Amino acid sequence: MAMAEREQGHRHYSESLESTQSFQLARRGQIFALLALSIMAALAITLAVVGEPVWATIAGGVDVAAVVGVFITGQRRSVEEQSEPEEPAQDRNARPAVEGNNTDEEP
């Protein structure tokens, strides 16, 4: 009984750790994306002030395209994930069926 309790505790800990790390990774990605977007926006503004409107437009366009692209792909992923049917959960401790051991068959 104690072994099953330890295994369950370990499974809960592992699942909690996985969700925490996933959240931290997503948050870190958002921070780096914001940093990159800020740098590109500052570059576009600097180019506009210096008198390079073509390059400022290109840098600003890349900024806008990147943000729009992320939102579109993120939207598609969430729609695809919602439309996919979930597979039934399988018991981790269940034994796989072995051919030849079916008792319903006649010899």
Side-chain angles (χ1 to χ4, degrees), residues 11 87-94 96:
R11 186 179 300 171
E87 294 181 18
Q90 295 180 355
D91 185 13
R92 296 172 96 185
N93 297 326

Side-chain angles (χ1 to χ4, degrees), residues 27-73:
R27 184 178 172 107
R28 192 176 307 134
Q30 289 175 342
I31 290 170
F32 283 128
L34 178 63
L35 181 64
L37 186 68
S38 300
I39 290 171
M40 286 298 290
L43 176 66
I45 291 170
T46 303
L47 287 170
V49 169
V50 169
E52 295 289 340
V54 174
W55 289 107
T57 303
I58 292 171
V62 167
D63 258 356
V64 171
V67 170
V68 169
V70 166
F71 279 112
I72 288 173
T73 57

